Amino acid sequence: QAQLMESGGGSVQPGGSLTLSCAVSGGTFSTYSTMGWFRQAPGKEREGVAAINTGSGVTDYADSVKGRFIVSLDKVKNTLYLQMSNLKPEDTNTYYCAGSTWVRDPRFLFSNNLDARGQGTLVTVSS
């Protein structure tokens, strides 16, 4: 099964921008009907951030990031992206990319079991 690996995390000041990447290896993005990003702190429940149907390109976002984050998929590079702008301290977290081979509606990606997830990348927003 295709594996996922995130990169691009780091430290940024409030109001800054950062782009996360998720490379798909050992397969292609088409392995997954829907892919997305969630964030999770140790001991806490995951919070779905953004998701995209890999076929139609339909997206869904958490209310907390609407207008600030953009999820996209480069089918040639086999890479999922999360462009984050106007970052806030409350966005600080470990971000994971994930995929489902059967969920087709991005609204429901994170309310179901995931078929794959990456190892996570840490984003810190602080002055």
Side-chain angles (χ1 to χ4, degrees), residues 14 17 27 39-40 47 69 92 97:
S17 300
R39 56 195 182 188
Q40 187 172 24
E47 176 191 7
F69 290 11
T92 295
C97 69

Side-chain angles (χ1 to χ4, degrees), residues 8 10 14 21 43 45 49 56 59-61 77 79-81 84 87 90 97 101 104 114 118 121:
S21 301
E45 291 189 2
V49 172
S56 66
T59 59
D60 186 63
Y61 297 91
K77 294 184 177 180
T79 301
L80 180 75
Y81 297 99
M84 306 183 292
L87 283 161
E90 52 263 41
C97 69
T101 59
R104 299 190 181 281
L114 302 169
T121 187

Side-chain angles (χ1 to χ4, degrees), residues 4 46 62 73 99 115-116:
L4 310 177
R46 71 185 180 205
L73 179 64
D115 291 304

